[in-house]
Amino acid sequence: MNLVLFGPPGVGKGTQGEKLSTETGIQHLAMGDILRAAVREGTDAGKQAKVFMDGGRLVPDAVVIAMIEDVIIAGGETGFLLDGFPRNVAQAEALAEMLSRHDLNIDRIVFMDAPEENLLKRLCGRLICRACGFGFHRQYSPPRKAGCCDRCGGELYQREDDREEVIAQRLVIYSEQTKPLLAYYQDKPGFYKLDASGEMQSVYAALKQVVVN
Ligand code: AMP
């Protein structure tokens, strides 16, 4: 099963994708995580990406397309869940072309959406573990011990691009560049729209339905 999850920043793609991956074994390919790892490792792609990411802008298409192709073709038999890629129509077209070259299909395309008010609350309170990348939220899913990851004890931090001014920029970029993906995908087979404004567990239950149906 190969899936694409898309939607605005803060809608819960990462949280839901991670949970689905843990339960089903489908490989979670989160473009933002792949880019952050490249920045940490100081690769050429990471160096190119950093300035765009810190400013809440999209990394150039050529950089992300090359990176995602590498991980897709390295993937196993269990299928993949793309989270945060594609983020514009040019990337969606490149994805379709790349998958057809490797004889692969997309089985489900899930558009997750929630009102901007929810997105802002989720993004502003988000905390990430520096060591394992696991996500927490100051209000909705706080760690047992402040500043410390429940899973591995690593240090929790706020992402540079989860500051208020960068969030505003990311939401603008979303409306201008990523939202047009809705028109691109909505008539394709396997397209679903998911209301992601509710609690994490109920959104997950709805996502799971989409995947098993
Ligand atoms: P995310 O973790 O999905 O919120 O992504 C964090 C940042 O990584 C975004 O604000 C962009 O700067 C960059 N990024 C992630 N995915 C893409 C993509 N498909 N195309 C371009 N830039 C991306």
Side-chain angles (χ1 to χ4, degrees):
M1 163 80 63
N2 298 327
L3 292 105
V4 168
L5 269 193
F6 77 103
V11 79
K13 302 182 293 293
T15 309
Q16 301 292 346
E18 195 52 41
K19 194 164 164 54
L20 191 66
S21 166
T22 308
E23 266 196 25
T24 61
I26 296 175
Q27 202 186 1
H28 181 200
L29 303 178
M31 193 69 235
D33 290 348
I34 294 169
L35 285 163
R36 278 183 289 278
V39 170
R40 269 198 310 277
E41 287 158 18
T43 64
D44 285 346
K47 284 181 194 145
Q48 285 182 64
K50 187 174 184 335
V51 52
F52 294 94
M53 296 173 76
D54 287 349
R57 289 177 294 143
L58 293 190
V59 175
D61 291 344
V63 176
V64 289
I65 291 167
M67 289 173 98
I68 206 73
E69 181 158 12
D70 286 348
V71 290
I72 287 178
I73 57 176
E77 303 283 293
T78 52
F80 56 78
L81 184 165
L82 286 174
D83 151 13
F85 185 94
R87 245 176 164 105
N88 60 29
V89 172
Q91 292 180 13
E93 286 168 346
L95 175 65
E97 183 276 326
M98 161 197 322
L99 294 179
S100 84
R101 249 189 299 117
H102 296 292
D103 217 7
L104 293 166
N105 289 312
I106 301 174
D107 304 295
R108 300 280 187 280
I109 303 154
V110 184
F111 172 56
M112 295 173 65
D113 204 11
E116 192 163 309
E117 188 192 331
N118 298 35
L119 306 175
L120 289 172
K121 280 192 199 144
R122 288 177 190 174
L123 288 167
C124 289
R126 192 153 79 164
L127 295 169
I128 315 283
C129 173
R130 230 180 252 294
C132 73
F134 195 70
F136 296 86
H137 191 281
R138 284 197 180 92
Q139 203 183 334
Y140 308 131
S141 57
R144 282 194 291 272
K145 186 174 162 212
C148 238
C149 176
D150 291 356
R151 278 194 172 176
C152 76
E155 181 202 359
L156 302 184
Y157 77 106
Q158 179 176 40
R159 269 170 48 175
E160 191 65 20
D161 58 351
D162 279 346
R163 287 178 296 120
E164 229 170 297
E165 61 278 21
V166 187
I167 290 173
Q169 167 71 3
R170 286 163 68 200
L171 290 171
V172 170
I173 299 276
Y174 168 74
S175 315
E176 290 176 358
Q177 302 195 36
T178 308
K179 205 150 185 214
L181 278 179
L182 190 54
Y184 177 86
Y185 277 134
Q186 68 189 355
D187 297 324
K188 302 246 189 295
F191 175 85
Y192 289 85
K193 186 170 176 191
L194 201 74
D195 175 2
S197 59
E199 297 231 325
M200 193 240 180
Q201 293 299 344
S202 60
V203 176
Y204 182 69
L207 176 64
K208 195 85 190 286
Q209 276 304 312
V210 167
V211 175
V212 297
N213 274 336

